[in-house]
């Protein structure tokens, strides 16, 4: 699986596109708004750069990307009239043009929000490339932001790629009850390798005292078999199994497919950050309902059928290109119809939430 070509959010403005199905990610941006504001204010008051350089890693496309930019601009007081350069980074197949087409209206909205005041001069540029590689010159960035990205791995773990035989995780697409400990270890080792590399690269690119705000999916349970992503991906694997039984997908295709994702515990994350010895760090964990349109704090699912559809649309917007590149596009509609039914059945028994990890890091 080639991440730079196979992995991107569903494009355009269709019903299944990411831009129309990313409310879950928007809720995370709103949840972490105060953390971002704190980082911006501290940098502006302590680093005092002639201009501020801010990078959003894994920016994707759609309104969420510019919500982050707006939050960063609004966190700067009117007296802090330094210039701000934003770099929006994602893999080359990201729909950067969707963002660029939105900039005219976005700049008008920023000006309207600052009635009676003047927003800081700001500039926005796209930067294609993997955040598991160097992206910037040494000590050139003041703030890195990344939301709903770092649970994605740089690649599949060794031994789990489509060409690797025998298949080590047959019938599963992620860590499941039948996944062996040896496969679990492959995922965990790659997670540690990826995060250590990410921290090293960002440390080289950040100015002294530079900061990072990182938000990504994890798990609250230390048991690697009981993470929130395990349930979500398990239902997706079950949906593919249904298509195998209907003769729509070859069983070998399923056996060869694994997702390049890992949901760590907070302890796992903190252990890697401490091992790097590069950043001071604080963390928090919050929950977010599977259904992006369910903003309630109770344990009751009001309409499991509708919630199943909402979850399926949200996951399809993220997963569709990966599944299409491996299974082909003909099975996608039936797959996510089946997935919506399976999620609805699950939510009838148990209301489930994502566990979302937030890291606030400062360069040593």
């Amino acid at each position: 699986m080639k991440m730079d070509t196979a992995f991107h959010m569903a494009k355009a403005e269709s019903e299944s596109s990411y831009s129309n199905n990313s409310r879950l990610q928007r809720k995370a941006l709103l949840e972490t708004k105060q953390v971002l504001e704190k980082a911006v204010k501290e940098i502006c008051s302590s680093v005092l750069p002639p201009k501020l350089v801010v990078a959003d890693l894994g920016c994707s496309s759609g309104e969420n990307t510019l919500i982050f930019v707006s939050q960063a601009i609004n966190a700067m007081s009117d007296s802090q009239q330094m210039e701000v350069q934003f770099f929006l980074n994602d893999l080359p197949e990201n729909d950067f043009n969707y963002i660029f087409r939105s900039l005219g209206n976005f700049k008008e909205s920023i000006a309207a929000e600052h009635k009676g005041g003047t927003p800081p001069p700001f500039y926005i540029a796209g930067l294609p490339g993997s955040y598991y590689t160097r992206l910037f010159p040494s000590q050139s960035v003041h703030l890195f932001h990344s939301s709903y990205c770092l649970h994605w791995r740089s690649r599949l773990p060794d031994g789990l790629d489509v060409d690797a035989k025998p298949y080590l995780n047959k019938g599963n697409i992620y860590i499941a009850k039948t996944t062996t400990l040896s496969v679990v270890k492959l995922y965990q080792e790659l997670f540690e390798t990826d995060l250590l590399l990410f921290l090293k690269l960002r440390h080289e690119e950040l100015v002294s005292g530079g900061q990072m705000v990182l938000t990504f999916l994890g798990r609250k349970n230390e048991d690697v078999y009981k993470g929130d992503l395990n349930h979500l991906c398990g239902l997706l694997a079950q949906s593919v199994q249904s298509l195998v039984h209907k003769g729509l997908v070859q069983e070998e295709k399923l056996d060869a497919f694994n997702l390049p994702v890992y949901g760590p515990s907070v302890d796992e994350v903190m252990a890697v950050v401490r091992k790097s010895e590069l950043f001071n760090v604080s963390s928090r964990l919050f929950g977010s309902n599977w259904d992006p349109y369910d903003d309630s704090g109770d344990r009751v699912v009001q309409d499991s059928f509708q919630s199943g559809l909402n979850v399926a649309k949200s996951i399809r917007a993220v997963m569709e290109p990966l599944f299409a590149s491996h299974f082909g596009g003909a099975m996608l509609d039936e797959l996510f119809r089946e997935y919506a039914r399976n999620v609805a059945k699950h939510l009838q028994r148990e209301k489930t939430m994502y566990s979302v990890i937030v890291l606030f890091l400062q360069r040593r």
Side-chain angles (χ1 to χ4, degrees):
M1 184 182 293
K2 295 182 178 179
M3 292 292 284
D4 58 343
T5 56
F7 183 55
H8 56 83
M9 304 299 101
K11 297 181 181 181
E13 300 178 59
S14 65
E15 184 182 351
S16 62
S17 71
Y18 179 80
S19 60
N20 287 328
N21 295 282
S22 52
R23 191 173 189 269
L24 182 74
Q25 293 81 353
R26 178 177 301 192
K27 289 164 71 173
L29 288 170
L30 299 178
E31 180 72 25
T32 58
K33 179 181 177 181
Q34 290 184 340
V35 182
L36 176 64
E37 289 177 345
K38 178 176 182 288
V40 171
K41 292 179 185 295
E42 286 185 1
I43 291 170
C44 288
S45 62
S46 62
V47 179
L48 295 176
K51 69 174 181 294
L52 193 66
V53 177
V54 179
D56 188 22
L57 304 179
C59 66
S60 190
S61 62
E63 295 180 6
N64 289 353
T65 305
L66 298 178
I67 287 176
F68 155 71
V69 175
S70 176
Q71 288 176 342
I73 291 172
N74 292 336
M76 302 174 67
S77 67
D78 290 337
S79 62
Q80 295 165 332
Q81 285 300 305
M82 62 184 72
E83 295 181 314
V84 190
Q85 173 69 67
F86 289 96
F87 288 99
L88 306 180
N89 157 260
D90 213 318
L91 293 171
E93 288 297 318
N94 183 55
D95 193 358
F96 285 102
N97 284 334
Y98 184 94
I99 302 171
F100 299 150
R101 288 194 298 268
S102 306
L103 289 182
N105 291 335
F106 174 73
K107 291 178 179 179
E108 291 178 2
S109 70
I110 288 293
E113 288 177 15
H114 286 76
K115 289 180 179 178
T118 304
F122 65 93
Y123 311 90
I124 298 175
L127 179 64
S130 169
Y131 47 67
Y132 292 116
T133 64
R134 271 293 292 266
L135 296 168
F136 295 93
S138 297
Q139 298 189 39
S140 62
V141 180
H142 299 92
L143 174 65
F144 281 113
H145 172 268
S146 182
S147 187
Y148 265 70
C149 296
L150 284 176
H151 46 273
W152 291 104
R153 306 278 44 88
S154 61
R155 55 180 173 80
L156 279 168
D158 292 335
L160 293 185
D161 207 346
V162 63
D163 296 324
K165 292 185 179 181
Y167 300 127
L168 301 179
N169 199 25
K170 294 181 66 172
N172 304 312
I173 62 174
Y174 179 56
I175 297 171
K177 291 180 180 178
T178 57
T179 300
T180 64
L181 286 173
S182 61
V183 169
V184 170
K185 188 176 181 181
L186 292 175
Y187 272 105
Q188 292 175 322
E189 288 175 346
L190 181 57
F191 158 72
E192 180 176 333
T193 299
D194 277 348
L195 186 54
L196 279 173
L197 175 61
F198 178 89
L199 295 172
K200 175 180 178 291
L201 296 171
R202 304 294 83 82
H203 186 268
E204 293 170 354
E205 295 164 342
L206 279 168
V207 301
S208 178
Q211 300 190 13
M212 296 199 292
V213 177
L214 310 176
T215 306
F216 51 96
L217 295 179
R219 66 178 194 275
K220 61 183 177 182
N221 197 313
E222 285 302 316
D223 188 340
V224 70
Y225 288 97
K226 294 183 179 179
D228 310 296
L229 283 176
N230 303 63
H231 298 307
L232 199 78
C233 294
L235 293 171
L236 198 47
Q238 181 182 327
S239 303
V240 181
Q241 285 277 16
S242 297
L243 269 59
V244 171
H245 295 152
K246 294 176 181 178
L248 300 177
V249 171
Q250 295 177 356
E251 186 172 13
E252 186 176 8
K253 278 281 190 180
L254 170 58
D255 292 341
F257 184 74
N258 291 281
L259 287 171
V261 68
Y262 182 73
S265 68
V266 174
D267 285 349
E268 282 181 293
V269 173
M270 297 297 280
V272 176
V273 177
R274 286 193 295 268
K275 183 176 180 179
S276 77
E277 300 182 336
L278 299 173
F279 292 91
N280 297 320
V281 60
S282 60
S283 67
R284 60 174 287 230
L285 185 76
F286 70 90
S288 184
N289 292 323
W290 274 11
D291 182 352
Y293 291 93
D294 183 355
D295 298 329
S296 67
D298 58 35
R299 304 300 299 168
V300 178
V301 177
Q302 298 295 335
D303 185 342
S304 60
F305 175 77
Q306 185 60 54
S307 287
L309 290 175
N310 294 342
V311 174
K313 287 181 179 180
S314 174
I315 296 300
R316 180 171 184 171
V318 176
M319 300 283 194
E320 179 178 288
L322 285 175
F323 277 81
S325 68
H326 181 78
F327 294 101
M331 51 81 78
L332 291 173
D333 288 343
E334 181 59 28
L335 170 63
F336 286 100
R337 278 194 292 267
E338 186 69 26
Y339 186 54
R341 289 191 288 266
N342 287 333
V343 171
K345 291 175 185 175
H346 172 82
L347 293 177
Q348 285 176 347
R349 301 188 300 270
E350 174 189 0
K351 185 173 182 177
T352 315
M353 304 179 79
Y354 295 102
S355 295
V356 187
I357 297 172
V358 184
L359 297 184
F360 178 67
L361 305 103
Q362 185 170 37
R363 185 186 191 274
R364 289 181 180 174

